[in-house]
Amino acid sequence: MKPAPALAEGFPDLSGLRIARGPHWFRWLGAALIVLVLAAIARAFANGQIEWSYVSRFLTAKVILEGIVNTMVMAVLAMALGIFLGIVVAIMRLSPNPVLKTVAAGYTWLFRGTPLILQLLLWFNLALVFPTIGIPGLWSARAVDVMTPFLAALLGLGINQGAYTSEVMRAGMLSVDVGQYEAAQAIGMGRLRALRRIILPQAMRVVIPPLGNEFIGMVKATSLASVIQYPEVLHNAENIYYANSRVIELLIVAGLWYLLVVSILTPLQMLLERRFARGTLGPAR
Amino acid sequence: MTKPLVAIRSVAKNFGEFQALKSVSLDVWPGEVMCLIGASGSGKTTLLRCINQLAVIDSGGIWLDGELLGVREQNGKLHRLSEREIGRQRLKTGMVFQRFNLFPHKTALENIIEGPLQVQGRKADDVRAEALELLRRVGLSAKAESYPAQLSGGQQQRVAIARALAMKPMLMLFDEPTSALDPELVGEVLAVMKELAKSGMTMMVVTHELGFAREVADRVVYMDQGAIVEQGRASDVLGAPREERTKAFLSAVI
């Protein structure tokens, strides 16, 4: 029998020693290669046939600024419509009512199954199908007057987005534990109140990263509305280069604006995520 | 002659092929503390869930406070109640779950006031004062602003009991309230339940804590394979069981 408290010899005390940092040769090599490639690309563009003065001149031109404002207005409104439709359709999809379920599934099938640009063109050309639209006996108008590029873009982008967002929302609601529904029911809540007060706030935490993704997609998808004459930034850039033939310069202008907007959105998303992470941040508070 | 608070008559419940409850009949009297014991799958949890209508019974009837639950009889047929009416009936029972099911995005206090405020539409000041008193009663006055993730299992379960009590139920249902707890946390939850029993609350407790049953229960009901096998005073059922199945279960558990 060994005496219990004594420790065996041959295992030195390592406390107080630091872990040495490795030389990381391949990291340095990789970084150097990337710098070289970037320099080559920059040189190519600098010597290429691009008039950078046009880029800086048109970057803050009034028409371009109006275009980016229109882009953002459309992205925000269409996304709001998309999220609203997405929540409604997701709730319908998870309802026990077979009629609601089928309608929701049909909606998703239809608007996910056809190209967005085709849907935009259909909305814009609605007047070809229905010359006048309205509610019989109450109100009617010529479709060409009602279906402006703005409205056509909003409906096309928003309704299409709703089909995708409904799936994101459904995934979020399914991620909430069944016990949460039961606890909500046990304190007398109906289905809709439980969804609004208990399930959706918890689903939001899961749903925000993919929704942020979708919103970034939406900012860029608004550029498709240029085909139906909605004056967003790409459409306005095109109008300028039709006049002055500085195609690449104006495309770079539009590209820089998209990059800037998307760069601003990322930290905003992090703020939102923190807001909905209430109660999950652990003991330190 | 007092009437039973809960009257269960010939209740059956199937999950597909599996018969969870086979024609169960039982009365629970006002002020009574009843412990339901039995192996898992014996139907005791299902019975509890049928009483607050988280599970819908297939046949038979349950009356709570004289009112038929979930359905209305009309011209010899049963018609299902609306979700709203079922919600109103649920307010008479408070449910405590095995896994607590606190709302993780709300503080302890917010969990407790959610029902009275949102469902019962009561005044915020009253509800808040009552919630703080409930927290004091379960020994968690200092944790009002804590989120569930910041509480131990035992503390979460005590908040869950306070949340159920906040609705002022006439019947409290406990579904294995200590089964998900670390052993050293079981006592604090049982202490709260004992105090509640002493205050005269009618309670149905599904539990494996035979010590608790022996000490607190007015009646112990042993269930097996969806039926009540034996019931009676705790000292009789646990101390001198008559049925072979009860004896076998008790000797396996102790």
Side-chain angles (χ1 to χ4, degrees), chain B residues 183-205:
Chain B
E184 77 273 19
L185 302 176
V186 169
E188 62 190 61
V189 172
L190 293 183
V192 168
M193 291 169 62
K194 275 178 206 165
E195 190 268 333
L196 191 60
K198 221 179 286 171
S199 76
M201 175 62 78
T202 312
M203 295 163 60
M204 292 179 78
V205 185

Side-chain angles (χ1 to χ4, degrees), chain A residues 177 179-180 182-193 196-198 201-202 278-280 282-285, chain B residues 49 52 54 83 87 90-91 93-95 97 101-106 114-115 118-119 145 147 149-150 163 167:
Chain A
D177 184 58
Q180 293 290 312
E182 294 187 341
Q185 284 181 320
I187 57 169
M189 287 191 176
R191 215 178 94 78
L192 285 181
R193 196 197 299 269
R196 186 168 57 82
R197 300 280 312 172
I198 306 301
Q202 294 181 57
R278 258 179 320 171
T280 59
R285 222 183 82 100
Chain B
R49 293 167 61 86
N52 81 340
L54 288 176
E83 193 186 37
R90 281 207 184 98
L91 295 183
T93 59
M95 180 86 168
F97 298 89
N101 296 356
L102 289 181
F103 306 132
H105 59 304
K106 293 181 182 295
E114 178 72 11
Q118 293 293 323
V119 180
E145 302 305 325
Y147 284 95
Q150 299 163 333
R163 177 176 70 178
M167 307 299 286

Side-chain angles (χ1 to χ4, degrees), chain A:
Chain A
M1 280 300 286
K2 296 175 281 293
L7 296 172
E9 296 289 324
F11 303 94
D13 182 10
L14 296 184
S15 59
L17 296 184
R18 306 241 321 251
I19 293 174
R21 293 175 62 175
H24 299 303
W25 296 116
F26 281 98
R27 283 188 204 175
W28 286 107
L29 188 68
L33 274 175
I34 288 166
V35 168
L36 269 177
V37 169
L38 286 178
I41 293 173
R43 184 165 168 275
F45 270 90
N47 296 337
Q49 301 195 343
I50 296 175
E51 286 293 338
W52 289 98
S53 62
Y54 277 88
V55 172
S56 59
R57 175 134 61 93
F58 280 101
L59 196 60
T60 52
K62 187 160 173 285
V63 189
I64 293 294
L65 292 181
E66 281 170 5
I68 194 68
V69 167
N70 284 339
T71 293
M72 288 315 296
V73 166
M74 181 53 67
V76 169
L77 290 180
M79 195 68 197
L81 178 61
I83 289 176
F84 171 75
L85 288 173
I87 291 175
V88 170
V89 171
I91 290 174
M92 286 166 67
R93 195 106 194 235
L94 294 173
S95 130
N97 181 332
V99 177
L100 293 180
K101 255 188 192 165
T102 311
V103 169
Y107 165 81
T108 311
W109 170 77
L110 183 65
F111 288 98
R112 263 195 333 190
T114 49
L116 176 54
I117 193 161
L118 181 142
Q119 291 173 31
L120 285 167
L121 289 167
L122 279 178
W123 284 112
F124 189 55
N125 293 304
L126 201 67
L128 299 177
V129 195
F130 311 108
T132 56
I133 50 176
I135 307 154
L138 279 177
W139 168 84
S140 74
R142 286 169 55 212
V144 269
D145 298 334
V146 176
M147 200 48 75
T148 58
F150 174 83
L151 189 62
L154 179 60
L155 290 176
L157 292 166
I159 293 175
N160 180 270
Q161 185 62 48
Y164 287 92
T165 306
S166 72
E167 286 297 279
V168 173
M169 287 292 171
R170 192 164 69 96
M173 290 186 211
L174 288 175
S175 77
V176 178
D177 184 58
V178 190
Q180 293 290 312
Y181 286 94
E182 294 187 341
Q185 284 181 320
I187 57 169
M189 287 191 176
R191 215 178 94 78
L192 285 181
R193 196 197 299 269
L195 279 171
R196 186 168 57 82
R197 300 280 312 172
I198 306 301
I199 307 303
L200 279 176
Q202 294 181 57
M204 286 316 281
R205 198 172 62 82
V206 182
V207 151
I208 284 172
L211 273 193
N213 219 12
E214 299 271 303
F215 186 57
I216 285 170
M218 172 62 85
V219 169
K220 292 173 295 175
T222 55
S223 63
L224 288 177
S226 61
V227 300
I228 57 168
Q229 315 304 322
Y230 179 70
E232 47 73 53
V233 68
L234 184 64
H235 178 82
N236 290 2
E238 283 175 336
N239 277 348
I240 298 173
Y241 73 62
Y242 290 148
N244 69 3
S245 301
R246 292 291 171 187
V247 178
I248 296 299
E249 288 82 351
L250 278 144
L251 288 179
I252 288 176
V253 165
L256 287 173
W257 274 110
Y258 284 117
L259 275 175
L260 180 70
V261 167
V262 171
S263 310
I264 293 170
L265 289 176
T266 311
L268 283 181
Q269 179 183 331
M270 279 171 63
L271 282 179
L272 259 184
E273 281 181 27
R274 211 170 295 167
R275 168 82 176 74
F276 280 100
R278 258 179 320 171
T280 59
L281 297 176
R285 222 183 82 100

Side-chain angles (χ1 to χ4, degrees), chain B residues 33 78 194:
Chain B
V33 176
L78 294 178
K194 275 178 206 165

